[in-house]
């Protein structure tokens, strides 16, 4: 009697999402979904709120790597779907989960919240330090009194 066993290690597929948590009203920003396999049969972004206008996308890019260390090999691959969005109005907006179909199975990302802020002086309540940490120029306006 002869038996053959095939061992397959299957890495769990997932969809991760990347987007800034805060953006300035009137600015473009990127929303990217990465699936940790290139075997994506179908991909659909969540319904992006109309206030966050889709300017471009999805652009797709893929990555593959192969590694051999001390005779042990490993490989990984992924595909990323990137959108360029425009934030037109301040507020807090939820982008629902995206989904990808892999080997006939639907997998979901998490939903994300984007806070769009009007960066005019006096409207944000941010300190100069907080604005600079977020990458914004902090401009103060002063009015002088007349004697």
């Amino acid at each position: 009697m002869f038996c053959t066993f095939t061992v397959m290690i299957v890495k769990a597929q997932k969809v991760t999402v990347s987007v800034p948590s805060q953006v300035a009203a009137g600015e473009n920003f990127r929303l990217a979904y990465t699936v940790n396999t290139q075997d994506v049969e179908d991909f659909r972004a969540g319904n992006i709120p109309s206030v966050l206008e889709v300017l471009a996308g999805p652009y797709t890019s893929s990555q593959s790597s192969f590694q051999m260390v001390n005779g042990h090999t490993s490989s990984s691959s992924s595909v990323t779907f990137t959108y360029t969005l425009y934030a037109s109005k301040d507020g807090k907006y939820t982008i629902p989960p995206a989904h990808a179909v892999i080997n006939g199975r639907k997998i979901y990302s998490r939903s994300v919240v984007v806070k769009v802020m009007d960066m005019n002086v006096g409207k944000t309540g941010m300190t100069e330090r907080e604005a600079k940490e977020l990458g914004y120029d902090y401009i103060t306006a002063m009015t002088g009194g007349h004697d």
Side-chain angles (χ1 to χ4, degrees):
M1 184 163 170
F2 201 37
C3 291
T4 303
F5 293 98
T6 303
V7 177
M8 268 181 63
I9 299 174
V10 178
K11 189 175 180 181
Q13 280 83 28
K14 63 182 176 177
V15 179
T16 56
V17 59
S18 171
V19 69
S21 59
Q22 293 181 345
V23 297
E27 286 192 354
N28 299 346
F29 64 99
R30 286 198 173 100
L31 168 66
Y33 296 97
T34 300
V35 185
N36 66 339
T37 182
Q38 290 185 1
D39 300 328
V40 178
E41 298 161 19
D42 186 34
F43 175 82
R44 302 277 182 221
N47 290 328
I48 298 169
S50 60
V51 163
L52 304 176
E53 182 183 349
V54 178
L55 297 178
Y59 296 112
T60 59
S61 61
S62 58
Q63 177 184 358
S64 297
S65 70
F66 179 82
Q67 186 175 16
M68 182 182 280
V69 177
N70 296 328
H72 298 284
T73 60
S74 64
S75 65
S76 66
S77 64
S78 64
V79 62
T80 301
F81 302 88
T82 304
Y83 297 82
T84 301
L85 305 179
Y86 174 77
S88 62
K89 185 178 172 189
D90 60 327
K92 239 182 188 173
Y93 304 100
T94 300
I95 301 173
H99 73 266
V101 177
I102 302 163
N103 297 325
R105 219 175 110 228
K106 196 180 279 191
I107 58 170
Y108 293 87
S109 71
R110 63 182 174 84
S111 62
V112 290
V113 175
V114 177
K115 184 176 182 181
V116 178
M117 299 174 18
D118 186 342
M119 294 307 292
N120 291 328
V121 176
K123 290 189 178 180
T124 65
M126 280 195 289
T127 66
E128 179 178 359
R129 180 177 172 200
E130 291 169 331
K132 286 182 178 178
E133 285 175 358
L134 291 171
Y136 297 107
D137 292 326
Y138 186 85
I139 302 168
T140 57
M142 296 171 55
T143 57
H146 298 295
D147 291 329

